[in-house]
Amino acid sequence: KSGLDPSGAWHAWGMACLKAGNLSSAREKFSRCLKPPVDLNQLNYGSRLIQEVIQYLESTVKPIHIVDDDYFATLRELEATLRTRSLSLELMCEGKSQHNSYYQECLFYLHSYGTNLAIISFYMRHDCMREALLHLLNKESPAEVFIEGIFVPSYESGKLHMLENLLETIDPGLESWGSYLIAACKHLQRKNYYHILYELQQFMKDHVRAAMTCIRFFTHGAKSYTELGGKQAWLLKIKDHLKVYLQEVSRSSGRKKMVFTFRKKMSATDVSRHINTVELQMEVTKFLHRCESSGTSQTTDPSLPTLFGNNNMKMDVACKVMLEGKNIEEGFGIAFRVLQDFQLEATEVYSKVARQLVKQQKYSEIRQLLKCVNESGAAAKNDGDNIILNCLNESKSIPAEDLDNLIQDMDSDENKIQAYLMCNKLRSAYLVSVRQEAARAVQLVQHVRQLAQSSGDDVVQAICAQWL
């Protein structure tokens, strides 16, 4: 008469029937106020009303065993039990809870009015993981339901191995779980749960991604190569994962096409290249670890470069290897391989090393660097000269004798003249200029005279004028 919404009354009446043990009447009352969700895959546990019903039923332990003590049951409860069993609930847990009419009643309400997440969470609460997984597959629920309903509860309660075993039992190839497993990996990465992630990737036999996770274990948080020296086991694991992947690729290429939709793919060439990178990183790690331990290391780089970074970081590795040995020659071989393997800009790296040596006032080491570069067989004609010119650009404070030695080491007279002019050694520039062929010598001496004039060097100016 008053036009009020009657659903509250029906719900209260249904709850009263439940509490009185009148299960069939409760169903009838609830059918008037409970509605199935519009979207079964929504990430919640259904309406507040259905949650209250499930909560009450789960809190009521009232078993009805199908053996000799059947006569304890009321007729209504038996009727409810039989009716629930006749539902197409093919997913039944093994164990005594399946004989509990209240358990069956929960399933009736969840299948009639609950979301997939509510059903799956119910199975998980009652240790029915297999049923939860089968329900997920049968209903083709999205990955979010798997994560929230099954995956998170599994690893939080230490049951990840049980979950993995069941996934494999249901589908030995794991293909039907592909999208769920990838979503689980992304979830773990967002949470920074890398140890669980690595375990899952190994279970998935996703060797390329497992290798990538090992790279993170190797590099993350290390402040020195002494620390990286203690983490070299991860480098061996990276190599193992990549080798296993190569074997699997070569095995499958002989057969009919194998489809692994969710495992990361990589060409055999790329995998071989990555294995070479790992082997080179091992050499770098051993060398720099030894340098740091013996105290020859002098660089204090806030970031720790490895060969797993971008090209700039790889160039930093090459510089570090050359600078941290007892001398340039000791680390040059490894640095040269880094430059060759990754096709890095060698002159830029050598120049950077030379500038560092100037700062450290190790001028004889610069000459040793030039010797190594020339003997490497991969240097262009003017590489050595350009390295010295770069040094002079950086610092004008090189002592006169060392400066002369460096400039004398240059191959091209033109570059020597340029170097002398950069250091304001006009007389030396004049002496090299007059040795050139006549036409070019005139141009060079005129240029030296102009610089002498602008700098007020009357002596050099007079010499140039006399020669001209």
Side-chain angles (χ1 to χ4, degrees):
K1 286 181 180 179
S2 57
L4 296 173
D5 179 15
S7 60
W10 285 116
H11 184 260
W13 197 350
M15 288 301 290
C17 291
L18 270 190
K19 287 170 186 175
N22 191 342
L23 302 183
S24 54
S25 287
R27 285 190 188 189
E28 192 263 325
K29 305 299 179 282
F30 285 131
S31 69
R32 298 171 184 271
C33 61
L34 296 177
K35 292 181 179 62
V38 180
D39 176 15
L40 287 172
N41 287 320
Q42 59 198 35
L43 285 180
N44 60 42
Y45 298 95
S47 66
R48 182 183 57 80
L49 300 182
I50 187 66
Q51 286 183 56
E52 281 180 22
V53 171
I54 300 302
Q55 200 175 352
Y56 172 75
L57 287 168
E58 281 188 293
S59 67
T60 308
V61 182
K62 201 168 181 182
I64 299 179
H65 298 292
I66 307 303
V67 282
D68 298 333
D69 48 338
D70 259 21
Y71 51 84
F72 287 118
T74 63
L75 286 170
R76 283 201 189 89
E77 283 175 326
L78 279 174
E79 181 193 346
T81 304
L82 292 168
R83 194 178 301 170
T84 311
R85 285 183 188 285
S86 69
L87 290 170
S88 60
L89 302 177
E90 73 288 353
L91 310 172
M92 293 289 287
C93 262
E94 291 177 17
K96 55 188 172 186
S97 56
Q98 76 172 28
H99 301 311
N100 186 324
S101 62
Y102 282 77
Y103 174 84
Q104 297 303 326
E105 210 63 17
C106 283
L107 285 179
F108 167 78
Y109 285 109
L110 285 168
H111 280 279
S112 303
Y113 308 110
T115 60
N116 285 327
L117 179 59
I119 296 166
I120 284 167
S121 297
F122 174 79
Y123 280 132
M124 291 295 286
R125 281 197 301 279
H126 292 272
D127 296 326
C128 301
M129 194 185 284
R130 186 172 187 278
E131 285 68 22
L133 288 168
L134 289 172
H135 183 85
L136 181 88
L137 268 191
N138 292 340
K139 301 297 179 184
E140 296 179 355
S141 293
E144 293 80 11
V145 174
F146 170 72
I147 299 295
E148 195 171 324
I150 298 175
F151 187 64
V152 173
S154 293
Y155 73 69
E156 283 184 348
S157 60
K159 292 179 179 173
L160 189 58
H161 282 300
M162 187 195 293
L163 172 61
E164 290 171 351
N165 290 338
L166 281 168
L167 292 174
E168 211 164 24
T169 305
I170 294 167
D171 178 4
L174 301 179
E175 286 301 316
S176 50
W177 304 115
S179 60
Y180 297 121
L181 289 169
I182 293 297
C185 289
K186 287 177 180 172
H187 163 82
L188 292 170
Q189 209 166 352
R190 279 196 303 274
K191 291 274 192 182
N192 287 330
Y193 293 164
Y194 284 95
H195 288 280
I196 303 176
L197 173 64
Y198 181 51
E199 187 186 321
L200 187 64
Q201 286 166 338
Q202 289 179 92
F203 162 72
M204 292 161 65
K205 296 182 176 59
D206 195 345
H207 294 291
V208 175
R209 286 193 180 96
M212 289 159 72
T213 305
C214 290
I215 290 173
R216 188 191 182 278
F217 284 134
F218 175 70
T219 55
H220 185 69
K223 300 283 191 295
S224 69
Y225 262 88
T226 307
E227 283 182 42
L228 286 184
K231 298 168 88 174
Q232 288 185 78
W234 288 114
L235 292 176
L236 293 170
K237 286 187 177 182
I238 298 167
K239 204 170 150 185
D240 289 344
H241 283 300
L242 294 176
K243 281 184 170 176
V244 170
Y245 179 78
L246 269 185
Q247 287 166 3
E248 286 184 357
V249 168
S250 62
R251 273 204 305 269
S252 63
S253 62
R255 303 183 216 147
K256 284 188 175 178
K257 198 173 179 186
M258 288 176 73
V259 186
F260 292 129
T261 47
F262 64 91
R263 295 179 181 95
K264 190 168 179 65
K265 294 178 185 64
M266 195 178 275
S267 71
T269 315
D270 283 347
V271 174
S272 299
R273 195 163 44 78
H274 286 306
I275 290 173
N276 288 338
T277 301
V278 172
E279 287 171 345
L280 196 48
Q281 181 63 53
M282 282 177 178
E283 280 192 59
V284 167
T285 306
K286 282 172 189 164
F287 178 77
L288 291 175
H289 181 219
R290 194 172 70 244
C291 292
E292 286 182 6
S293 303
S294 62
T296 57
S297 167
Q298 293 191 348
T299 55
T300 51
D301 195 352
S303 63
L304 194 63
T306 69
L307 298 178
F308 299 119
N310 57 22
N311 277 356
N312 286 337
M313 192 182 267
K314 291 180 178 103
M315 287 162 85
D316 288 345
V317 170
C319 291
K320 196 173 176 69
V321 167
M322 280 189 267
L323 289 166
E324 296 214 355
K326 288 197 290 285
N327 51 45
I328 288 294
E329 200 171 354
E330 190 185 19
F332 187 83
I334 296 175
F336 184 71
R337 277 180 55 205
V338 171
L339 297 174
Q340 292 290 296
D341 283 12
F342 299 106
Q343 299 178 332
L344 302 173
E345 191 55 59
T347 314
E348 192 182 326
V349 173
Y350 297 142
S351 299
K352 192 175 176 182
V353 170
R355 288 196 294 271
Q356 279 295 322
L357 291 170
V358 169
K359 283 181 187 171
Q360 295 170 15
Q361 299 184 345
K362 292 182 175 177
Y363 306 112
S364 61
E365 290 286 303
I366 298 174
R367 298 181 75 185
Q368 193 182 37
L369 172 66
L370 295 172
K371 179 171 170 283
C372 289
V373 170
N374 289 329
E375 288 174 358
S376 70
K381 187 184 174 189
N382 282 327
D383 274 1
D385 291 5
N386 289 333
I387 291 166
I388 294 171
L389 289 171
N390 268 320
C391 281
L392 300 178
N393 261 331
E394 283 292 309
S395 175
K396 307 289 187 288
S397 61
I398 301 172
E401 189 184 341
D402 293 304
L403 188 61
D404 279 334
N405 287 337
L406 283 173
I407 295 174
Q408 287 302 320
D409 282 347
M410 294 175 96
D411 294 323
S412 153
D413 281 350
E414 292 274 344
N415 287 334
K416 283 181 184 176
I417 294 164
Q418 188 186 339
Y420 282 129
L421 292 177
M422 283 168 70
C423 301
N424 213 26
K425 287 180 169 288
L426 300 180
R427 185 183 175 81
S428 300
Y430 162 78
L431 290 172
V432 181
S433 297
V434 295
R435 294 206 302 264
Q436 309 309 304
E437 56 185 75
R440 181 63 182 144
V442 170
Q443 288 177 339
L444 291 167
V445 173
Q446 282 175 338
H447 181 53
V448 172
R449 185 175 70 166
Q450 284 170 0
L451 290 173
Q453 196 175 342
S454 58
S455 66
D457 190 334
D458 295 336
V459 178
V460 174
Q461 197 180 334
I463 296 170
C464 292
Q466 188 181 347
W467 185 88
L468 287 165

